[in-house]
Amino acid sequence: MFYKQKSLIVFLFLIGSAFLSQAQSFKANDPITVNQTIKKGVLPNGMTYYIYPTTVNKNTASYYIIQNVGSILENDQQKGLAHFLEHMAFNGTKNFEGKGILNTMQKQGAVFGKNINAYTSFDETVYNLDNIPSKDDAVVDSCLLVLHDWSGFLSLTNEEVDAERGVITEEWRTRQDARMRILNQTAPIVYNNSLYADRMPIGDMDIVKNFKYQALKDFYKDWYRPDLQAIAVVGDINVAEIEAKIKKLFADIPMPKNPKKRFEIAIPDNNASAFRLALDREVSSSSINYMIRHTAEKPTGTFADLEKSTQRDIAFSLINNRLAEMGQKQECAFRGAQIGFQSFTRLNDILFIGISPKPNKQQEAFTAAMNEFVRAYKFGFSKGEIEREVTKNLSNYEKYLEKIDEISHKAVIGMVKDNYLKHEVISDPKAEFEMVKEILQKLDSKTLQEQLSKLYTPQNRVVTVTGVENENNLTQEQAFDIIKKAENDPSLEPYVDSFAGKSLLGDIKIKSGKIVSEKKETAIDAITYVLSNGVKVHYKFADKNKKDVKLKAESFGGASLYEPKDLPNVTYATSLAGMSGINDLSNTDLDKVLAGKTASASASIENFTETVSGSANTKDIETMMQLIYLRFEKPRFDAEAFALLKQRMENMLKNKDKDIRSKMADSLTATVYGKNNPKIRLMNQQYIDDLSFDKMKSIYKDRFADVSNFEFFIVGDIMPDVLKPLLEKYIASIDGIKRKENFKDNTVDWVSDKINKDVFLKMETPKSSVRVKFQNEYTYSQKNRIIASFFGDILTLRYTESLREKEGGTYGAQVNVSLEKLPKPTVQLNIAFDCDANRVEALLPIVYQEIEEIKQGKIDKEDIEKTKKSYIKSRTDSKDFNAYSMNLIYNYFTNGYNMDHPKNFTDIVNKITVKDIQDFANSFLSKAKTYKIVYKPLK
């Protein structure tokens, strides 16, 4: 399908017989029209290529090579080598020695991990260069040459192989958490002991550490070949020129004689239902997955395919709507549940029921989800449910067609991968829409029931439970008994749709205000409106994203105005309001009222501000304005929602001590701020006990009581003559008390300016986690903000080279440096990485050594140039989207600078020198307070 998320393709409920009569009459074997925008071809050596022109990101293109090769092709001595090859692609090729690919692309502003990346799965390995400048022929040629080398010209030198063993071991260590250990326990039963169960892409670390060099080269020679490869170029390019370059450059890649057959694995059938309960000491919440495995349905590219997927998508959406509604009730036994049908492996699909039970409610949760599924296939769906769902989906489809030129590079690549690897049609969306009309014309409850019944088969059933130690975990006997009872429950009754005739505003009568003045801000091409209630609205037209409108309203104050004892109520006040609905509508009814509309609005309270945010399609902007009005004037606070909120928090707390990430976060807070610091509120029972329905309601109303103290920012595809009446009716009419507020400095002091502590924790997979921080007050300016960011990014490059590549000591170090303006200008440098517990003492000196060398001015000028390119490119790319315009007007009016003026960004970036960064590092770090906290395994 053209639009990757199939559930968003089926969006039309046909309204009116005149409209219906326009639908064509399609036959089951009528082909789906192929999208002609994409150019597809196959070279004589068997390599497939795709070219898709788009200006969604102007002057840039993305380059991918899709290898129909994954870990499933490994033999017992090669486990992990498919993934190892992925790493080696960045460690030397025929035309790019050593780190040549990274260095070449970084000079064009690309960032490793963001623009330059790859992934390996069971069945494919995909490499990408994203959003690279496309108007320089030399750069385009370099990108294509990279794909060429990735195809069959990796160097695979012994030295680079050995250097990468440590990196991959540390990647394994980082990823080897409770979730992965549970997966390892359940894989044999989920994959029915097929090869998939023994071919996790990360591989076997004994093999990774010790394989012979030739083993990697053999795997590479066997499987990296043109008949198993597709390249894709998407972006602002000339199709004919790119095609000519591809045909010329990739023609020399030979197709090997007598190649190995690319096999595919089908999971064997299991007539008896299978069950597995998996436990891990670090699991803090349970989950249940019930799946029924099917043989994958090979795409035919016909009307019949589209009809079937359309009917299934709507049926599952309707069931999930019911489950979501159930989940908003306190008595519901699950935190969340979802039912669907999806691809599982190349040769198998699955029907799945996934459930997240509340603590000690696994049996009840599974029963509730099973009953709802059986209710659907036995009794079907109401007319109102179906009409709302298709109406909602119609809105999404229309929006998709309106924004057909804004499809991201990654979305196009997703369609390319589905076409190449799964043979799914890349369809023409308008032609497909004609088919959808006819499908929906015939849609009824009986049809949806039939689709569900066809998928609910007695064979190949598997139930897996992620249990929690010391909980009442679901047993095999209980699981199969629940399934049997649900299938044969005579007391089940049809779903009752109680929603009817409600509207957003109800009987509210709005008394409009006025726009009392307007002023053009020529520097940024914006307009400021002053309303009769004192509100200022800053507006800028922007249509980089068609039919899209965003709103933000902000006022100073926030949580900083409250005492620590009130923080639980401040923190969750807007959550309660959001869960409660709005005006006279519950949250469930609000969703139904908004069906078919693309409009939303939400409120939040941050530390120093309170905000209201909204977004809408241009045609639904009045609905967004109504929602904004109601968030101020008619918030809703529901006692049942309050009880549910507390219940959710208590459920999170019950097993919090099992979650190692939570233990790390709490221990860090206690180490830095002291145990039981009254100014710090950690999540515990006292925190929950301090929640008060009346207090939360009072705080919300107080924070949003004075609309005149808010500054509004509106950006999007809407003209002033449309916007102004809406401002007068829905914003100028909001009451305000015309108070003047500001935030307070609520900074909490550290226990010491220098903290050095080892924290020992019980771990299932031993490792160390390092957390280093420097913090100091610093003069706030645009130049200082940018230099601080440069410092962090250059430090990242250095740690990638030293800690990761040279030492093989970590999968990656995360570095963040920011200069924050509030409550007082402060620079923070945060460094974090995981590593082997036995190597901490060897790696930590390198962390500080790299910082010290920057302080001494030992900075590679090439690193500075790479960072400059990245910043200029990122800023240029951002201007292709409306979000840039929102940032532009916000910074202009709130922070007092014009992002568009070169002096505030481009000039600063281009003029940054080694000395600037050196001076910053020395002045910032000279008196900075710092901590070093190392988490180590408790033996």
Side-chain angles (χ1 to χ4, degrees), residues 177-282:
D177 55 10
R179 182 192 64 81
M180 184 59 69
R181 292 191 296 270
I182 290 292
L183 177 60
N184 290 335
Q185 290 183 54
T186 57
I189 192 168
V190 167
Y191 295 107
N192 197 18
N193 296 306
S194 68
L195 201 57
Y196 281 104
D198 195 36
R199 292 295 184 269
M200 291 297 165
I202 193 66
D204 182 319
M205 288 308 103
D206 284 338
I207 292 175
V208 166
K209 293 175 183 177
N210 300 300
F211 68 82
K212 302 296 183 182
Y213 306 122
Q214 192 59 42
L216 186 65
K217 294 174 182 177
D218 289 345
F219 185 87
Y220 182 51
K221 181 180 177 182
D222 286 341
W223 300 115
Y224 272 49
R225 58 186 204 235
D227 65 315
L228 297 179
Q229 296 170 333
I231 59 173
V233 182
V234 178
D236 191 359
I237 40 89
N238 180 293
V239 174
E241 290 178 1
I242 293 295
E243 184 176 33
K245 288 176 182 288
I246 289 171
K247 288 181 176 179
K248 181 179 179 180
L249 180 62
F250 291 83
D252 74 335
I253 301 173
M255 177 63 192
K257 295 178 180 179
N258 302 315
K260 283 190 173 183
K261 182 180 180 181
R262 202 299 187 193
F263 58 87
E264 294 181 330
I265 299 294
I267 301 173
D269 291 339
N270 56 289
N271 291 324
S273 297
F275 177 90
R276 175 64 54 85
L277 169 64
L279 295 170
D280 188 278
R281 290 179 183 176
E282 292 177 8

Side-chain angles (χ1 to χ4, degrees), residues 315-316 319 376-377 381 448-456:
F316 286 117
I319 297 175
Y377 82 69
F381 306 95
L448 301 179
Q449 287 172 256
E450 288 174 351
Q451 284 296 342
L452 295 176
S453 297
K454 288 176 183 177
L455 295 175
Y456 193 68

Side-chain angles (χ1 to χ4, degrees), residues 600-858:
S600 64
S602 61
S604 62
I605 302 174
E606 289 85 34
N607 198 22
F608 304 117
T609 60
E610 44 273 341
T611 63
V612 175
S613 302
S615 65
N617 184 281
T618 301
K619 68 181 178 63
D620 294 320
I621 187 169
E622 183 164 11
T623 299
M624 180 191 76
M625 289 295 198
Q626 291 172 350
L627 289 167
I628 297 293
Y629 172 88
L630 294 171
R631 290 294 175 202
F632 279 100
E633 290 283 354
K634 296 290 182 179
R636 191 169 188 267
F637 302 93
D638 185 275
E640 290 185 11
F642 174 71
L644 176 60
L645 176 62
K646 286 191 69 174
Q647 183 193 62
R648 287 176 177 174
M649 295 172 68
E650 287 169 345
N651 289 341
M652 288 170 55
L653 190 61
K654 282 182 180 177
N655 293 302
K656 183 183 175 186
D657 61 340
K658 296 179 184 294
D659 188 326
I660 194 164
R661 291 186 181 87
S662 177
K663 288 194 284 189
M664 286 182 176
D666 285 354
S667 65
L668 187 147
T669 300
T671 300
V672 175
Y673 299 105
K675 290 183 178 180
N676 304 315
N677 188 323
K679 295 182 179 181
I680 298 291
R681 298 301 306 266
L682 295 177
M683 177 66 73
N684 53 30
Q685 190 57 51
Q686 186 59 55
Y687 186 103
I688 298 172
D689 290 342
D690 285 347
L691 292 174
S692 159
F693 177 81
D694 291 335
K695 188 70 174 177
M696 294 166 84
K697 181 178 178 180
S698 167
I699 288 171
Y700 182 101
K701 289 193 169 184
D702 177 53
R703 287 300 85 220
F704 299 96
D706 187 13
V707 71
S708 68
N709 206 32
F710 280 77
E711 205 158 358
F712 281 69
F713 304 87
I714 299 176
V715 164
D717 192 0
I718 181 171
M719 300 303 293
D721 59 335
V722 176
L723 177 63
K724 289 165 69 174
L726 297 175
L727 292 177
E728 291 184 323
K729 182 172 183 179
Y730 295 111
I731 306 302
S733 61
I734 300 172
D735 290 332
I737 56 179
K738 298 187 177 173
R739 66 187 177 191
K740 294 297 180 183
E741 279 189 330
N742 209 332
F743 62 87
K744 292 182 179 179
D745 184 349
N746 59 353
T747 303
V748 182
D749 291 331
W750 295 8
V751 295
S752 171
D753 285 350
K754 188 172 184 179
I755 300 169
N756 188 347
K757 185 173 182 180
D758 291 343
V759 179
F760 292 89
L761 300 171
K762 287 185 178 180
M763 301 179 187
E764 291 301 297
T765 301
K767 67 177 178 181
S768 280
S769 294
V770 177
R771 304 290 183 267
V772 174
K773 182 168 186 170
F774 295 86
Q775 182 173 302
N776 199 2
E777 292 182 26
Y778 206 81
T779 304
Y780 187 89
S781 70
Q782 270 301 98
K783 182 176 182 179
N784 286 343
R785 282 184 68 245
I786 294 169
I787 293 175
S789 186
F790 258 74
F791 175 53
D793 289 338
I794 287 173
L795 203 50
T796 298
L797 290 172
R798 296 176 76 116
Y799 286 152
T800 299
E801 178 61 30
S802 58
L803 294 175
R804 175 182 160 122
E805 299 298 334
K806 184 178 179 180
E807 295 293 330
T810 181
Y811 181 51
Q814 290 75 51
V815 182
N816 178 264
V817 183
S818 61
L819 171 54
E820 303 295 337
K821 188 176 182 180
L822 304 179
K824 50 195 171 192
T826 302
V827 175
Q828 298 184 57
L829 161 61
N830 288 282
I831 303 163
F833 64 92
D834 293 342
C835 64
D836 185 335
N838 295 320
R839 297 203 62 195
V840 173
E841 304 310 320
L843 297 176
L844 271 172
I846 298 172
V847 172
Y848 293 99
Q849 179 184 339
E850 295 290 5
I851 294 172
E852 190 61 35
E853 289 192 359
I854 290 177
K855 289 170 64 178
Q856 295 171 12
K858 297 177 182 178

